[in-house]
Amino acid sequence: MNETGFRIDTGFIASHNGVRSADIRRDYDALGELLRRRGIGIGEIAARAAALTVALPSWATATGGTRFGRFPGEGEPRNVFEKIADCATIHQLTRITPRVALHIPWDRPGDPGTLAAFASSLGVGFDAMNSNTFEDQKAQRLSYKFGSLSHTDASVRAQAIAHNLECVEIGRVLGSKALSIWIGDGGNFPGQVDFRGSYERYIESCKSIYAGMPGDWLLYIEYKLFEPAMYSTVLNDWGSAYYAATAVGPRAFCLVDLGHHAPNVNIEMIVARLLHMGKLGGFHFNDSKYGDDDLDSGSIKPFQLFLIFHELVNAAVKGGTPGNPEPAYMIDQSHNVTDPVESLLASVEEIQRAYVQALLVDRAALAEYQQANDAVMALRTLKTAFTTDVAPILASVRVSAGGAADPLAAFRESGYRTQKGKERR
Ligand code: RM4
Ligand code: MN
Ligand code: MN
C-alpha cells in the first residue's frame, strides 16, 4: 500500500531543464536589467521567491465533485499514501510545497507513525491538521445534522471536541503544529438558530480544544459566509473569527479562505485588518466567481491575489506586526474537470507569481503618492509591479532548486498519470 510505484526520474527533470536553460538565462538577464533600472536587485527577489512555501491539501489530489456528481479520472490516488506520493511529485517539480495538510477522517492514517516515515522518505512533511464535523461518518454515535461545536446538545459538542483532539493526537505523531477548524454549523431558516447562544457555545467548544493542544500548536479558525447552512452561519465572517480567536487565546488565529466571502468583498483589506490586529493565521488559497467555488488559485482574479500579497509584503517589510505569526499558506481547492496534480502545479505557480510581483512594488513611491493623494499614480505603481512578467524568476529558482523549468509540461511529458493509471486500478 505504501509503495510509491512510478516516480519522475531526476535525470528526466535535468534533461527537461537542459533544453530550456539557455532561454531561461537570457530571459532572466533581460528581466534583471529591467529591474535594475527600477532600482531592484533580481538576485534578492529570486532568493525570496525560493524561500516561499505553500502547503498542499491532501483532499485536493483526487477529483472533487459537486452535489450533482463526480467524474473521476484515471490513476487517481486511492488512499492517503498515494495522495502523499502525488503531493511529493508536486514538490519535486515546484520545490516550494514541502508540506501536506491532512483532512481527518477522509485521510485518517491507520498508523500515523508509518505515514510520517513514508512522507519523510519522499521529502515531505505535514502542515495543519483539518478536522471534519460537517458530515456524519459511518459508525458515528451522534449526528451533526444540526451542528457540531455549537450544537444545542452538550453531548454532540463533546463528540465534536473529542474528534478535534483526535486530529491533534494524529498530528502530533506526524509533526504537525496546527489545527484548522471549519464547521458547517448554521441555520437554514430565520428563527432556527439562536445567533448569540450558538456563537457562545462555539467559542466555549474551541476553548476546550485549545486547552487540549500542545503549547507550541496554533489554532486556525476558518470562517465562511454561507453553505451548507443557507440562511445563517455560526462563524460567518472575519469579525466573528477575530472575536472568537481573541476569546480563545493567544495561539488562536483567523484563517482566510479566499472563497468564503460574498462576491466583490475587499479581501485584501480584511488581510490588512487582521494583520493590524495580530490575528492573521493563514490562508486557504483558491479562486472563485460566485461562492465557495474552490477554483484554481489565480484563475479568475489574479489581481486580487497580487493585492493580498501586497498587504502581506507590506507588513513583512515593516517588520511584521507584533504578535502575528508568519501566516501559513495553504491551498484549498476542488478539481472537477482537470487533472488534480496539474491544477495544483498551476496554482502553486500562480501563488508564487503573485508573491514575486508584490515584492516588486515600489513602496517608497507608493507612500509618496498616497501622501499626496495621487490616486492615478498610486494605482499605476501597483500595476507596474503586477504587469511585470516574472516568469523567468520563477523558472530560474525552480531549476536552481532541482525542480522543473516548466512543471506542467514536465508532468505531462513524464507520463506520470498514465503510469499511475496502470498502478492504481
Ligand atoms: C470547506 C472549508 C474547509 C475545507 C472543506 C472541505 O468549505 O473550506 O477548509 O476543509 O470545505
Ligand atoms: Mn477552506
Ligand atoms: Mn471552502
Side-chain angles (χ1 to χ4, degrees):
M1 193 197 220
N2 53 4
E3 291 299 313
T4 47
F6 176 78
R7 292 210 71 200
I8 299 176
D9 183 56
T10 48
F12 171 83
I13 296 177
S15 65
H16 163 94
N17 291 344
V19 294
R20 290 164 173 82
S21 64
D23 284 348
I24 293 173
R25 173 68 27 218
R26 248 194 309 276
D27 294 348
Y28 184 88
D29 289 345
L31 178 57
E33 172 56 23
L34 181 145
L35 294 179
R36 196 191 52 75
R37 288 198 299 273
R38 291 194 209 155
I40 300 171
I42 193 169
E44 193 208 323
I45 302 294
R48 291 174 74 180
L52 179 77
T53 61
V54 184
L56 297 171
S58 63
W59 59 96
T61 52
T63 298
T66 69
R67 65 187 190 279
F68 299 105
R70 180 173 173 270
F71 303 95
E74 63 153 9
E76 286 197 1
R78 297 164 299 180
N79 54 55
V80 65
F81 292 97
E82 293 177 351
K83 289 178 182 183
I84 297 290
D86 284 0
C87 290
T89 297
I90 294 165
H91 182 48
Q92 186 188 14
L93 297 174
T94 66
R95 303 313 298 158
I96 62 162
T97 58
R99 290 178 308 279
V100 182
L102 218 59
H103 210 297
I104 307 294
W106 296 342
D107 295 313
R108 178 191 270 116
D111 172 29
T114 306
L115 185 67
F118 175 73
S120 137
S121 76
L122 295 183
V124 292
F126 291 90
D127 206 86
M129 300 298 293
N130 292 254
S131 62
N132 178 341
T133 59
F134 49 85
E135 56 184 14
D136 286 346
Q137 309 300 327
K138 268 194 254 113
Q140 182 179 311
R141 206 165 58 82
L142 303 164
S143 173
Y144 295 134
K145 179 171 180 179
F146 294 108
S148 58
L149 293 175
S150 80
H151 200 284
T152 49
D153 182 344
S155 48
V156 180
R157 298 201 297 278
Q159 176 181 285
I161 292 167
H163 165 69
N164 276 279
L165 290 175
E166 187 208 347
C167 293
V168 172
E169 279 320 304
I170 298 170
R172 255 199 231 248
V173 182
L174 297 177
S176 169
K177 288 281 176 224
L179 174 71
S180 295
I181 301 181
W182 174 73
I183 53 164
D185 298 27
N188 273 2
F189 298 97
Q192 181 189 336
V193 170
D194 171 6
F195 294 155
R196 294 178 59 189
S198 58
Y199 184 50
E200 209 44 55
R201 292 191 292 271
Y202 168 77
I203 291 172
E204 287 310 308
S205 295
C206 283
K207 283 183 184 169
S208 302
I209 296 166
Y210 185 86
M213 286 188 344
D216 59 346
W217 274 52
L218 305 184
L219 181 65
Y220 300 139
I221 294 182
E222 182 178 6
Y223 60 89
K224 178 170 170 176
L225 177 67
F226 82 114
E227 198 189 37
M230 292 300 175
Y231 166 69
S232 67
T233 290
V234 175
L235 210 76
N236 62 308
D237 64 10
W238 72 272
S240 305
Y242 172 74
Y243 177 82
T246 305
V248 167
R251 286 177 291 106
F253 295 90
C254 306
L255 190 144
V256 178
D257 181 312
L258 301 192
H260 288 194
H261 308 83
N264 297 330
V265 162
N266 188 338
I267 301 176
E268 56 273 24
M269 196 165 166
I270 293 173
V271 170
R273 286 285 179 272
L274 288 175
L275 280 167
H276 193 104
M277 299 166 180
K279 279 293 188 189
L280 180 68
F283 289 88
H284 274 179
F285 288 117
N286 52 51
D287 213 339
S288 73
K289 182 76 179 161
Y290 301 105
D292 190 23
D293 305 348
D294 283 332
L295 299 176
D296 294 6
S297 299
S299 60
I300 308 282
K301 289 169 287 194
F303 190 47
Q304 174 184 268
L305 191 57
F306 161 82
L307 292 172
I308 288 168
F309 273 110
H310 172 57
E311 293 304 328
L312 292 163
V313 173
N314 269 349
V317 296
K318 289 183 182 135
T321 43
N324 206 93
E326 262 304 285
Y329 300 142
M330 301 167 266
I331 294 177
D332 181 6
Q333 297 177 172
S334 179
H335 310 113
N336 302 322
V337 299
T338 55
D339 180 314
V341 169
E342 292 191 1
S343 267
L344 287 167
L345 288 171
S347 301
V348 170
E349 188 164 24
E350 288 310 301
I351 292 165
Q352 197 178 24
R353 185 194 319 282
Y355 171 59
V356 173
Q357 287 169 327
L359 292 174
L360 302 184
V361 172
D362 183 343
R363 286 182 165 70
L366 181 62
E368 278 175 30
Y369 294 133
Q370 288 174 339
Q371 183 62 29
N373 300 302
D374 190 338
V376 167
M377 292 307 290
L379 173 61
R380 199 174 98 156
T381 304
L382 292 183
K383 282 291 181 77
T384 299
F386 176 65
T387 55
T388 306
D389 180 5
V390 300
I393 296 177
L394 306 183
S396 152
V397 298
R398 271 194 304 267
V399 170
S400 305
D406 183 342
L408 212 48
F411 178 75
R412 289 199 171 184
E413 289 159 16
S414 75
Y416 183 90
R417 190 58 79 189
T418 314
Q419 290 295 330
K420 294 298 162 194
K422 291 179 195 145
E423 293 169 12
R424 303 170 178 174
R425 294 257 181 226

